[in-house]
Amino acid sequence: MMKLARLLPSRSQLSEKLLYGKAADVKDASQLYAFTSRAGISNARENSAAKGYIADRIFAPYSVYKGKAALSVTPVLPTFTKLDSGTLVVDRRGVMMMKFLPAIGERKYDNEKRQMFALSPTEVGSMISLGPKDSCEFFHDPSMLSSNAGQVRKSLTIKAHADGTGYLISLNVVNNILKTKEFFTVPVTTAEFAVMKTACSFALPHILGWDRLTNHPSREPRRTVGLPSKVDPQFLDLEWDK
């Protein structure tokens, strides 16, 4: 164990670099995965449970690293409010959060210039229903239905390759106020997209909050940060806040 510790940086150092650092290295991510696998998930659960935040601090995205950009997908659970009658109702809906990072060098990505796109449950349904030759496109605008509509907007496109070998996932962000345009493209293989679809299918009942309905009807809800989607405009702020 001491020999392994000398060879690899600590998990806390790697986690801070990947989550909060200015640049994330794919090699660091691989080392973190390997070290965590060797140490055992049970130990991580015990440490988190002892601190009282096992459900709130788990970070397990599915990530794809390509030459021009990286893409990660992770579920964000809904939050709940308890009424005076004791009934729990959804306060903020869950989403599947997609994070895009631009490449700044070989196997290095800039976390400071990340862009987020929150898929609503309906948008998740559109994605997982795509066939090998299908495409879809989603538009988000934080000021839709207001006089500032169109000033800042995001569009996500998922387009199948003509030869059926995968998909091209593109995010276009236009800010007419700051006069900026950002464009990310991440090609994914058929296998990578299959993982995304399967993971999203598994997570869908959870971002709807139905897992609480079927598994834990009487438990107090965990206060998890809910994030925005196109369907619920009042929850758009965190998607647009870096």
Side-chain angles (χ1 to χ4, degrees):
M1 181 61 72
M2 292 182 62
K3 183 178 180 181
L4 180 61
R6 289 195 296 268
L7 293 175
L8 293 176
S10 70
R11 281 179 292 179
S12 61
Q13 290 175 329
L14 291 175
S15 298
E16 290 175 2
K17 189 174 183 181
L18 289 170
L19 292 177
Y20 310 111
K22 293 182 173 57
D25 195 312
V26 176
K27 290 185 291 185
D28 290 340
S30 300
Q31 290 176 346
L32 176 61
Y33 174 79
F35 188 85
T36 304
S37 299
R38 292 187 182 95
I41 295 175
S42 60
N43 290 338
R45 278 184 166 273
E46 290 171 2
N47 293 338
S48 297
K51 296 179 181 179
Y53 48 64
I54 184 170
D56 298 333
R57 298 288 292 179
I58 292 176
F59 183 72
Y62 175 68
S63 301
V64 177
Y65 301 95
K66 301 295 178 172
K68 294 182 178 180
L71 167 65
S72 67
V73 183
T74 189
V76 178
L77 300 180
T79 61
F80 296 82
T81 296
K82 191 171 185 178
L83 304 180
D84 293 339
S85 63
T87 302
L88 296 179
V89 296
V90 174
D91 176 55
R92 188 172 294 180
R93 296 190 181 185
V95 298
M96 290 298 298
M97 184 60 70
M98 305 182 78
K99 180 168 74 171
F100 293 80
L101 302 175
I104 56 174
E106 186 177 357
R107 299 169 68 86
K108 291 183 179 294
Y109 302 88
D110 192 347
N111 193 50
E112 290 295 314
K113 294 183 179 180
R114 66 190 179 276
Q115 285 289 346
M116 317 293 281
F117 197 92
L119 291 174
S120 69
T122 302
E123 290 169 336
V124 170
S126 297
M127 189 189 80
I128 63 180
S129 64
L130 289 176
K133 297 183 179 180
D134 295 334
S135 301
C136 64
E137 189 169 12
F138 309 115
F139 297 92
H140 287 189
D141 185 338
S143 302
M144 58 183 172
L145 304 180
S146 74
S147 59
N148 294 322
Q151 291 298 309
V152 182
R153 63 184 185 274
K154 296 181 181 181
S155 61
L156 177 74
T157 304
I158 304 176
K159 185 176 181 179
H161 294 318
D163 57 4
T165 57
Y167 296 80
L168 184 66
I169 302 178
S170 305
L171 177 66
N172 188 34
V173 183
V174 177
N175 190 322
N176 291 322
I177 300 174
L178 299 177
K179 307 297 183 183
T180 60
K181 293 183 179 180
E182 296 179 78
F183 188 66
F184 303 81
T185 57
V186 181
V188 296
T189 64
T190 302
E192 290 167 339
F193 196 68
V195 173
M196 286 179 160
K197 291 171 65 174
T198 303
C200 286
S201 296
F202 173 81
L204 187 55
H206 297 269
I207 66 175
L208 286 170
W210 287 9
D211 59 318
R212 254 181 218 294
L213 178 67
T214 57
N215 296 329
H216 306 291
S218 61
R219 292 178 59 181
E220 290 290 330
R222 298 185 182 97
R223 299 302 297 176
T224 308
V225 176
L227 294 176
S229 69
K230 178 183 177 183
V231 179
D232 300 288
Q234 70 266 36
F235 304 143
L236 276 169
D237 49 327
L238 287 180
E239 176 184 328
W240 300 83
D241 182 13
K242 294 183 181 181

